[in-house]
Amino acid sequence: MLRRLTPVLLTLVVVALGITALAARPDNDAPRRDADYVVLVGAAGLRWDDVDPENTPTLWRMAQQGAIGSLSVRSAHRPTCPVDGWLTLGAGNFAAWPGSRPGGGCPASGVTVERPDRIGANLPEQASVVAGQAKLAWGAKPGALAESVRCSVAVGPGAAVAAARPFGRVDRYAPTLPDDPTELLGSCVLSIVDVGTVDDDDPTARADQARQADARLARVLAGRPPRSLVLVAGVSDTEYPARLHVAVADGPGWEGGWLTSPSTARAGYLQLVDLAPTVLDVLGRPMPDRAFLGRPAVSVDERPPDLRAAIEAAADADREATAQRHVAGWFFTLLAAAQLVLAVAVLPLLRRARRHAGPHGPEPVSRRVVAVVELLLIAAALALPAALLADAVPWWRGENAGWWYASVTALLIVGGTALVRFAPGHHRTLGPLGAVAGLAALVVGVDVLTGSRLQLNGVVGYSALEGGRYAGLGTVGLGVFIAGSLLCGGWLAQRVRRGWRPMAMVAVGGAAVVVVGSPYLGADSIGAIALTAGVSVAAAICTGGWLTVSRLAWATMAGLAVTVGFALVDLGRPAVERGSLGRFLAAVGDGTGGLTVHRSSTANVQTLVNSPLTVLALAGAALVWLALLQPWGGLMRLFGIYPAIRAAMAGTGVAAGLGGVLGGAALDVAGAAGALVVPMAALAALRVLDHSTDRTRPDTGRPGDEIGAAPPDAPGGGGVAPPTDGGSAATDGPAATDGPAGGGKPDEAPAGEAGTTAGEQPDAGVPTGARIPAQPAPAHRVGDVAGPESR
């Protein structure tokens, strides 16, 4: 009875851990900041490396007394041109100005602003702009910010784009900033001012543009209304590639600190779409019916006391994000190519790894060649963890940043490979697998526990320029962590008695679910739900047997239970505090959920086509299916001897597949997981095949004690039935035993010692030198010698 209830109880444990991790929320009760007026000043292209006390003294003083941050100006178009940035600012959502973009750059044509009277203005193109957003995946509504306030002022053509209502009317408009703008800025609660563009490539000319923008900002500050908040933002890029830009808030309650928002959850970072909800939140106005994509900004007290150091940190983050874009492409391309070459090189070794019994048969591969290939497989599996760890070194600050990054990553790969090679237990079949999985899970886990500093703008992390994620666990990190934690769980489960294996798998997997899903740590609710399903699958089959319909149903029910439980908790929160799942369900309720589904499906298709990790995922699946799972490939034999490893790999496949598709990352999560799992599976398969014809009794290893041999004094004594190819006869029946006859502590068989289907049993050690010479095969084979799970 207890055995039948075990899957149910373990599923409940995983579900409880998942819901607990997802339901917890950091305390976001920031002090209320309000103002009577908001003045939003925009300077397209303005970056932190344009700011200094000599050339831009006004902005420098404002940054000294206010809160600052790095602004991601992502819009519906890449790059975000000035007109796209102003439109996104007024919509509070990713928007794009219609029209062609020659060469992927920004159009030179300006915006047409008509002045039918001396008070306001009109944008004749606004109707086509509004209609054009309906064709995009974001559902932006131009003019949503202006519609949320009674009156708004626009100064300059860019500001007119942001302040225009959906039908094109600008309440109050001035083409240029007056010498004394006090009356103009005090006429409405919201004023949007365009102080120019900083876009020249020449340093001298660019400094002059920044100085002119700073002079206009000085006039704005001189004429600001009382009890007003002034926001300065570099509202757009001016060319490809994208960059991080200036964001400063100066007003009551914004003294010092870093700017941030719930949409980034990272101190010092906010998005362009956060500015519109920030304006309404400060003015105490309700949000529009169609919620903004961003969240109101706040300031946090984590900024260095020295302003120069704070600005240098923001400028350095921009340099790192820019370098990351160039390096990431060739890194993943080289990684995919290297793993493909290694997969092809492993194929002939798998064919010749089995040492045939008898005098005839192909010559086995040299031990030295096998040892070199094993080291290469370990290095390939450690490539992603090493690449993540390489971002602890500021490689982006020097010239030839790509070569610096490659050198640091190569050194870390060599060091990690040496650590695994000389680690205790390396000679055992599962020794390298356990060590590599442990290192991978440790690197990603420690980074998440310390604030995910290596993943932000990291080559194998996520970029603040992309606007998808700013904190927590990224797509590649999720794949590596899923694979590392589940393989660690499988390795640990294989070392304990059969009855305790599900508990060991749940303990490791449950802790991983908390790390992935907790908003304090990984902050990936989709990843936590996917990992819950993977852990349930692994726990269900780690004692033996296959993934039956009932076991798959339990895993599916576990994932659904976590999803439903978290959804109910998330829907109960205020709209501004909901996570992605709660926002999606709320959108389904008001009829706009199709936009979210459309965005996710579009992201999946684009990622599937453009990402090198897709190649890794497909190549890994092909190697496993066409080679490793074949009778000569060794993986079926490995699974029969070590069922917990089979469970871990199955759970990894389920979790990585669900996490990628549901998260809009297609096969990227599976590709990152496969980059670790597939090389380790090939290495373990080579070791199992190398000892597939050994015939030693695991408890003594003495001649004559072979499994299936007759006693020495019996007629025909000494005969042995050799195993057939691919023979892993593991079952989940009641006759299965667990551990050596004497009830000793379970262990895995050493590679290089006796380790046949009988000798490679995970529950018995074999004395060194106990190998029995191969015997000629009999005319009629009896069949495979049963593994430890089927005796």
Side-chain angles (χ1 to χ4, degrees), residues 479-686:
V480 173
F481 190 69
I482 285 174
S485 57
L486 285 179
L487 285 182
C488 276
W491 177 84
L492 179 63
Q494 194 61 54
R495 300 180 66 86
V496 301
R497 294 187 178 279
R498 180 175 177 177
W500 290 95
R501 289 174 184 171
M503 286 69 172
M505 188 68 73
V506 167
V508 176
V513 169
V514 173
V515 171
V516 171
S518 172
Y520 299 92
L521 301 173
D524 188 348
S525 57
I526 299 299
I529 292 169
L531 184 54
T532 299
V535 172
S536 300
V537 166
I541 64 175
C542 64
T543 56
W546 296 99
L547 185 60
T548 61
V549 174
S550 61
R551 289 173 169 178
L552 183 61
W554 277 116
T556 304
M557 290 175 61
L560 288 175
V562 172
T563 305
V564 172
F566 173 60
L568 294 176
V569 173
D570 207 20
L571 280 174
R573 299 190 179 105
V576 296
E577 297 181 7
R578 289 174 185 160
S580 57
L581 183 59
R583 292 197 298 270
F584 169 70
L585 293 177
V588 171
D590 62 20
T592 60
L595 289 173
T596 303
V597 175
H598 178 51
R599 288 197 296 264
S600 179
S601 60
T602 301
N604 274 316
V605 172
Q606 291 177 347
T607 305
L608 183 68
V609 173
N610 299 323
S611 175
L613 287 172
T614 300
V615 178
L616 271 177
L618 296 178
L623 178 65
V624 170
W625 183 257
L626 300 177
L628 295 179
L629 284 177
Q630 297 303 309
W632 49 269
L635 199 57
M636 294 299 292
R637 180 177 291 272
L638 177 74
F639 287 168
I641 299 172
Y642 304 108
I645 299 301
R646 178 189 61 181
M649 291 185 180
T652 298
V654 170
L658 287 176
V661 174
L662 296 180
L667 296 179
D668 275 9
V669 179
L676 189 149
V677 172
V678 175
M680 290 297 95
L683 189 152
L686 283 173

Side-chain angles (χ1 to χ4, degrees), residues 93-111:
N93 200 338
F94 297 149
W97 192 266
S100 60
R101 311 296 172 104
C106 296
S109 60
V111 177

